């Protein structure tokens, strides 16, 4: 079943076209990787299908009652809300249903038999909805998702206004996953996630029964969760079945076929033009020359995509610094998460130590540590 229809979509910024006459259908349960070079319009595409941006031409039509979930990293989180409050708000529609059901229970003692029977029927319908939507397992689902994305390490009772940008994005992603919409729109969801949390998200998306569109530069992650590729290039959107590796194989094959056809056509064009030029002036061969010219005029010329300019970097080389980078005296060495006073031998790998009254060290290339000078204020 189609949940999104896009017909003859065209859009641009000024004199730069982003899409030209793009059409496609998104089907229920499809797991799509949206790929393309930077600047091809992936984020613009997301903004158009979510209604944040109106296309210059074309139609974007969602099926009725389709719930669309978009990871909006600019969403407002109110001061005074805890992380737990934000995650529970993913189920607000169920809490509203529960309140409606409780209000009905309150009315039952004040109504006649007919209205009572109607209320009981409505309450039964709501109760079935709450049960099928796992309403009574909400806290367990929140804990599972928060643990999977590393949010429990932050603390569910923490005020959202105290969060860093990366922590905030994690919370919004968790809320979106808990909402479980009919289609997820995910733009670089692995940003700010550690490897173990990326692995959890990978398993979640592999088992996700609804549709999603994913933008990600993490190719192994992308490969592991998608079954379709939408490739954006030269103002067009092309659909490929399979993962990214399969797309690359098919894309390269089609590219080579097009290049071969282009070379053959260019050779044919050159031969036709040469024949016309040599024979159009002669009375005996004029008709043949005109016939070749008509063929040239009707020919649909193959065009190759223009190569995108690639950035080039040029770094100046310089001699390496000396083996000894710096020396310290009176330094207390500590590792992150280690108690104050941890042994310096445990903190540094290849440094040489001379301990008398104060700690002295030589720091060599490749070593790394955190330290403070003895007597200096310690920063928390």
């Amino acid at each position: 079943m189609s949940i999104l229809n896009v017909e003859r979509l065209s859009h641009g910024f000024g004199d730069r076209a982003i899409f030209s006459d793009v059409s496609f259908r998104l089907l229920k349960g499809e797991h799509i990787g949206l790929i393309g070079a930077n600047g091809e319009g992936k984020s613009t595409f997301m903004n158009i299908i979510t209604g944040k941006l109106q296309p210059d031409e074309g139609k974007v039509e969602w099926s009725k009652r389709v719930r669309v979930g978009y990871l909006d990293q600019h969403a407002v989180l109110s001061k005074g809300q805890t992380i737990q409050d934000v995650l529970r708000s993913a189920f607000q529609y169920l809490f509203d249903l529960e309140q409606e059901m409780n209000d009905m229970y309150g009315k039952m003692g004040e109504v006649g038999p007919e209205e009572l029977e109607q209320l009981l029927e409505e309450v039964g319908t709501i109760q079935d909805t709450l049960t099928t939507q796992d309403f009574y397992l909400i806290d367990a689902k929140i804990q599972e998702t928060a643990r999977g994305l590393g949010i429990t390490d932050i603390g569910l009772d923490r005020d959202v206004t105290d969060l860093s940008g990366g922590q905030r994005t994690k919370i919004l992603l968790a809320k979106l996953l808990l909402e479980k919409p009919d289609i997820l729109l995910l733009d670089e969801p692995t940003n700010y996630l550690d490897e173990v949390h990326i692995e959890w998200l990978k398993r979640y998306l592999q088992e996700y029964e609804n549709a999603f569109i994913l933008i990600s530069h993490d190719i192994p992650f992308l490969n592991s969760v998608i079954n379709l590729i939408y490739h954006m290039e030269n103002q067009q959107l092309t659909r490929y079945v399979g993962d990214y590796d399969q797309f690359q194989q098919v894309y390269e094959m089609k590219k080579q076929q097009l290049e071969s056809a282009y070379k053959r056509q260019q050779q044919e064009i050159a031969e036709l033009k040469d024949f016309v030029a040599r024979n159009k002036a002669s009375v005996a061969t004029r008709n043949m020359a005109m016939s070749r010219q008509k063929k040239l005029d009707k020919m649909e010329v193959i065009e190759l995509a223009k190569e995108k300019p690639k950035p080039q970097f040029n770094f100046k080389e310089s001699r390496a610094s000396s083996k000894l980078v710096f020396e310290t005296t009176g330094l207390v060495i500590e590792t992150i998460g280690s108690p104050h006073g941890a042994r310096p031998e445990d903190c540094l790998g290849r440094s040489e130590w001379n301990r008398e009254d104060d700690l002295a060290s030589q720091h060599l290339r490749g070593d790394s540590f955190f330290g403070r000078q003895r007597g200096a204020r310690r920063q928390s």
Side-chain angles (χ1 to χ4, degrees):
M1 184 182 79
S2 173
I3 59 177
L4 172 64
N5 283 313
V6 173
E7 297 180 8
R8 311 201 62 142
L9 179 70
S10 295
H11 190 73
F13 297 104
D15 58 353
R16 179 172 174 257
I18 303 295
F19 305 118
S20 178
D21 201 26
V22 167
S23 298
F24 70 93
R25 290 192 311 150
L26 177 66
L27 304 180
K28 184 178 181 180
E30 290 185 331
H31 293 177
I32 296 168
L34 181 62
I35 65 170
N38 290 337
E40 288 289 346
K42 297 186 294 294
S43 295
T44 301
F45 172 84
M46 288 289 208
N47 287 331
I48 288 175
I49 65 174
T50 54
K52 293 186 175 182
L53 185 64
Q54 286 297 115
D56 295 337
E57 296 178 24
K59 183 173 70 172
V60 177
E61 186 176 20
W62 290 96
S63 297
K64 291 181 179 179
R65 298 186 181 181
V66 168
R67 293 189 302 126
V68 181
Y70 180 50
L71 181 55
D72 185 359
Q73 300 187 17
H74 303 289
V76 176
L77 298 177
S78 303
K79 186 174 183 178
Q81 278 189 311
T82 65
I83 294 174
Q84 178 90 7
D85 294 335
V86 174
L87 298 184
R88 282 176 70 85
S89 70
F91 304 97
Q92 188 57 52
Y93 72 103
L94 294 178
F95 288 117
D96 292 341
L97 279 177
E98 183 194 35
Q99 184 59 52
E100 185 180 346
M101 182 178 67
N102 290 336
D103 292 342
M104 289 179 184
Y105 280 130
K107 292 179 183 178
M108 286 182 180
E110 306 169 0
V111 299
E114 290 185 8
E115 192 172 349
L116 177 61
E117 187 175 343
Q118 184 179 352
L119 286 173
L120 285 171
E121 186 176 339
E122 291 178 7
V123 163
T125 301
I126 293 175
Q127 186 65 68
D128 288 343
T129 301
L130 294 178
T131 302
T132 55
Q133 295 295 319
D134 295 332
F135 177 70
Y136 302 104
L137 299 175
I138 282 177
D139 289 337
K141 292 171 77 172
I142 288 174
Q143 283 290 335
E144 180 190 358
T145 303
R147 189 165 48 249
L149 295 177
I151 296 171
T152 50
D153 298 335
I154 304 171
L156 296 182
D157 294 330
R158 190 167 174 183
D159 192 301
V160 292
T161 53
D162 296 334
L163 302 178
S164 67
Q167 292 170 336
R168 188 175 179 279
T169 301
K170 276 187 179 183
I171 307 307
L172 293 171
L173 175 60
K175 178 176 179 287
L176 182 60
L177 298 181
L178 287 167
E179 289 172 346
K180 205 171 182 180
D182 297 306
I183 175 166
L184 279 169
L185 305 176
L186 301 171
D187 191 347
E188 300 293 353
T190 57
N191 285 354
Y192 309 109
L193 295 183
D194 296 333
E195 187 174 346
V196 63
H197 306 138
I198 292 174
E199 191 64 28
W200 181 89
L201 181 60
K202 180 174 77 174
R203 291 195 301 271
Y204 181 93
L205 292 178
Q206 285 171 341
E207 298 169 3
Y208 196 67
E209 60 191 25
N210 295 334
F212 64 75
I213 298 178
L214 170 66
I215 298 174
S216 178
H217 285 89
D218 185 341
I219 300 303
F221 173 77
L222 187 77
N223 255 345
S224 66
V225 298
I226 62 168
N227 52 34
L228 289 170
I229 287 286
Y230 278 7
H231 181 222
M232 302 184 68
E233 185 179 51
N234 297 315
Q235 305 168 29
Q236 297 299 312
L237 187 70
T238 308
R239 185 178 186 269
Y240 294 85
V241 176
D243 61 19
Y244 184 81
D245 290 341
Q246 292 167 321
F247 150 75
Q248 280 193 311
Q249 294 173 5
V250 176
Y251 177 76
E252 284 301 320
M253 183 178 66
K254 289 175 66 176
K255 186 178 178 181
Q256 290 173 9
Q257 289 173 345
L258 184 65
E259 288 174 352
S260 297
Y262 173 80
K263 289 177 182 177
R264 288 195 300 270
Q265 189 185 64
Q266 287 299 308
Q267 182 177 351
E268 183 184 5
I269 289 173
E271 290 172 355
L272 289 172
K273 286 183 175 179
D274 178 64
F275 185 91
V276 170
R278 288 186 293 103
N279 294 280
K280 64 181 179 180
S282 171
V283 175
T285 58
R286 183 180 301 164
N287 287 339
M288 287 190 293
M290 290 176 62
S291 176
R292 300 294 198 284
Q293 184 61 53
K294 286 180 180 179
K295 185 176 181 180
L296 275 171
D297 294 339
K298 292 179 180 180
M299 187 177 290
E300 190 173 329
V301 179
I302 298 172
E303 292 185 3
L304 296 180
K306 294 181 180 178
E307 288 289 332
K308 299 285 191 305
K310 296 180 179 179
Q312 293 185 343
F313 300 95
N314 205 4
F315 298 102
K316 292 183 179 179
E317 294 183 3
S318 63
R319 68 178 183 83
S321 59
S322 65
K323 183 179 179 183
L324 180 62
V325 180
F326 65 85
E327 289 188 54
T328 64
T329 57
L331 190 70
V332 177
I333 306 299
E334 300 177 35
T335 58
I336 296 176
S338 295
H340 175 55
R343 294 184 307 152
E345 298 92 299
D346 297 333
C347 303
L348 291 180
R350 299 192 304 276
S351 295
E352 297 179 5
W353 298 91
N354 295 312
R355 183 186 294 278
E356 294 180 349
D357 292 335
D358 286 332
L359 187 66
S361 76
Q362 290 185 336
H363 193 60
L364 307 181
R365 181 182 304 282
D367 291 335
S368 62
F369 62 86
F370 294 87
R372 61 185 176 87
Q373 195 162 1
R374 188 181 296 279
R377 175 179 289 183
R378 187 178 181 184
Q379 294 182 353
S380 57

